[in-house]
């Protein structure tokens, strides 16, 4: 189900949607070329209004995959962006901005991780904070982008002891054949979102590229009462050798990926981007935020799409 109907002046696209609840309202932050695009609603499933850009810097562009977390009355936004004069997306670096309100404007504070780093998700576990993010490994047998987790020593500083969480293992994760050199196919695993239910730990992720037919949402699972998220062993479900997407293309939508998860009224929901099948792909960006129910039973996650 589409989550947002664009108003006059609002962007037509909501790529990499991040859902967040604060002060009894729901906020959605999305990727934007010139800043982080933000929406607000009093009801999760309807009534969304465009707030505008809650973060924009005069010398930056391509604001990717923002996430927001509250600590001690301050709201911290993590995102990646790159200098306006650059053309290589590998100049993307993860940065942090702060505001006293989830409605912004957020103000840049510090670069958290150097280029190339994208798709942050910062979470509290126990008394500590951890950051999931994506980076590149050019030397792996399946070279490409993978997901790691590290501890934050403060809200702007990583400890520098990252652990790989989800790495490429499937041909369906190949973003581009012979991308940088002949014979080296480039895989992409990105867009991590971590959540925990009891002692069940889940990391959802995107595989491949949103422009490709095989693009999908998958997840990895770990079990235990450990709060140091680097000590958990996450395993792709149902297996690292089996392509079994949580969400993928169907007869109505394609480009299904990069999600966030929220619990409301005892029900879990997954918010993701997709585009309508048959849409005009020559437009700059036609991904829009979608939502469906998510059920969790131990290792089993299921996304329940509505037939509309």
């Amino acid at each position: 189900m589409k989550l947002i109907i664009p108003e006059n002046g609002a962007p037509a696209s909501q790529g990499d949607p991040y859902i967040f609840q604060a002060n009894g309202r729901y906020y959605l932050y999305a990727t934007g070329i010139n800043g982080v695009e933000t929406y607000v609603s009093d009801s999760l499933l309807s009534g969304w209004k465009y707030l505008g850009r809650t973060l924009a810097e005069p010398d930056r562009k391509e604001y990717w995959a923002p996430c927001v977390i509250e600590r001690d009355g301050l709201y911290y936004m993590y995102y990646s962006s790159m200098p306006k004069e650059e053309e290589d997306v590998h100049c993307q670096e993860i940065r942090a901005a702060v505001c006293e309100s989830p409605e912004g404007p957020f103000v840049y504070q510090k670069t958290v991780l150097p280029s190339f780093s994208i798709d942050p998700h910062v979470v509290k576990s126990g008394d500590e904070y951890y950051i999931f993010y994506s980076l590149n490994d050019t030397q792996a047998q399946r070279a490409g982008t993978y997901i790691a987790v590290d501890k934050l020593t403060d809200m702007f500083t990583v400890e520098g002891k990252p652990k790989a969480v989800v790495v490429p293992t499937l041909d369906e994760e190949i973003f581009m054949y012979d991308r940088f050199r002949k014979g080296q196919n480039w895989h992409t695993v990105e867009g991590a979102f971590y959540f925990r239910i009891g002692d069940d730990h889940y990391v959802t992720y995107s595989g491949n590229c949103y422009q490709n037919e095989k693009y999908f949402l998958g997840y990895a699972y770990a079990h235990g009462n450990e709060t140091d998220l680097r000590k958990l062993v996450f395993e792709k479900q149902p297996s690292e050798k089996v392509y079994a997407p949580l969400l993928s293309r169907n007869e109505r939508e394609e480009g299904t990926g990069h999600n966030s998860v929220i619990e409301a009224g005892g029900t879990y929901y997954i918010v993701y981007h997709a585009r309508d099948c048959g849409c005009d792909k020559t437009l700059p960006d036609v991904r829009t935020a979608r939502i469906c129910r998510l059920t969790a039973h131990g290792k089993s996650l299921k996304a329940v799409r509505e037939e509309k």
Side-chain angles (χ1 to χ4, degrees), residues 3-4 11-20 27-33 35-39 62-68 77-81 92 116-121 134 188-193 204-211 215-217 254-261 270-275 285-290:
L3 191 61
I4 294 169
S13 171
Q14 303 94 37
D16 311 323
Y18 185 86
I19 194 81
F20 179 71
Y27 296 87
L28 186 140
Y29 305 91
T31 287
I33 295 174
V36 174
E37 309 291 1
T38 306
Y39 304 79
E62 299 291 347
Y63 296 77
W64 291 0
C67 79
V68 172
M77 177 182 284
Y78 298 85
Y79 61 100
S80 67
S81 67
Q92 285 276 343
F116 170 74
S117 57
I118 59 170
D119 296 355
H121 185 212
S134 291
T188 299
V189 173
E190 61 186 10
F193 187 94
T204 57
Y205 62 89
S206 299
N208 208 300
C209 170
Y210 77 93
Q211 297 167 321
Y215 187 60
F216 70 99
L217 275 172
E254 62 185 12
T256 51
H258 204 119
N259 74 279
S260 51
V261 174
I270 184 168
V271 178
Y272 60 100
H273 66 223
R275 59 181 179 264
D285 194 345
V286 291
R287 296 172 294 172
T288 57
R290 320 277 172 120

Side-chain angles (χ1 to χ4, degrees), residues 3 93 113 120 136 241 243 276:
L3 191 61
E93 62 184 19
L113 285 161
N136 287 343
K241 298 301 182 183
Y243 175 67
D276 294 339

Side-chain angles (χ1 to χ4, degrees), residues 87-100:
E87 297 300 327
D88 185 356
V89 297
H90 291 96
C91 293
Q92 285 276 343
E93 62 184 19
I94 291 176
R95 295 157 71 88
V98 174
C99 185
E100 294 182 352

Side-chain angles (χ1 to χ4, degrees), residues 43-62:
S43 173
L44 176 61
L45 300 178
S46 62
W48 287 90
K49 302 294 183 183
Y50 179 54
L51 277 181
R53 292 180 186 138
T54 52
L55 172 70
E57 301 164 272
D59 58 345
R60 310 288 293 184
K61 67 179 180 180
E62 299 291 347

Side-chain angles (χ1 to χ4, degrees), residues 195-197 200-204 218-221 237 245-247 259-264 266-272 291-306:
F195 65 104
R196 176 176 181 172
I197 303 175
D200 296 317
H201 305 256
Y202 306 91
V203 173
T204 57
Y219 72 97
Y221 170 85
Q237 298 300 311
L246 178 64
L247 279 171
N259 74 279
S260 51
V261 174
I262 192 167
E263 185 272 331
T267 299
Y268 282 86
Y269 295 90
I270 184 168
V271 178
Y272 60 100
I291 189 168
C292 68
R293 288 186 295 114
L294 188 69
T295 63
H297 301 286
K299 288 185 177 182
S300 175
L301 275 187
K302 290 185 178 180
V304 184
R305 284 163 158 157
E306 295 185 14

Side-chain angles (χ1 to χ4, degrees), residues 119-251:
D119 296 355
H121 185 212
V122 173
V123 299
K124 184 179 182 182
S125 181
D127 295 326
E128 306 290 348
Y129 289 81
Y130 294 83
I131 182 169
F132 290 83
Y133 63 101
S134 291
L135 68 164
N136 287 343
D137 185 346
T138 60
Q139 303 304 313
Q141 183 176 0
R142 287 185 178 269
T145 306
Y146 72 99
I147 293 166
V149 64
D150 205 348
K151 180 180 175 181
L152 291 172
T153 57
D154 60 43
M155 299 306 282
F156 307 114
T157 308
V158 295
E159 189 170 52
K161 298 178 181 179
K163 179 189 174 183
V165 176
V166 186
V167 301
T169 59
L170 298 168
D171 288 347
E172 287 85 357
E173 294 161 347
I174 296 174
F175 157 51
M176 188 180 295
Y177 291 89
D178 303 323
R179 185 182 188 190
F180 294 118
R181 64 173 184 265
K182 187 71 175 177
Q184 185 189 64
N185 300 327
W186 192 262
H187 302 67
T188 299
V189 173
E190 61 186 10
F193 187 94
Y194 165 84
F195 65 104
R196 176 176 181 172
I197 303 175
D199 286 341
D200 296 317
H201 305 256
Y202 306 91
V203 173
T204 57
Y205 62 89
S206 299
N208 208 300
C209 170
Y210 77 93
Q211 297 167 321
N212 295 340
E213 184 176 345
K214 293 284 188 177
Y215 187 60
F216 70 99
L217 275 172
Y219 72 97
Y221 170 85
H223 183 80
N225 59 9
E226 179 62 61
T227 58
D228 186 339
L229 302 182
R230 296 173 298 184
K231 294 181 179 180
L232 292 169
V233 179
F234 285 92
E235 297 178 341
K236 284 181 172 179
Q237 298 300 311
S239 162
E240 67 175 18
K241 298 301 182 183
V242 175
Y243 175 67
L246 178 64
L247 279 171
S248 61
R249 175 190 174 118
N250 65 11
E251 67 277 8

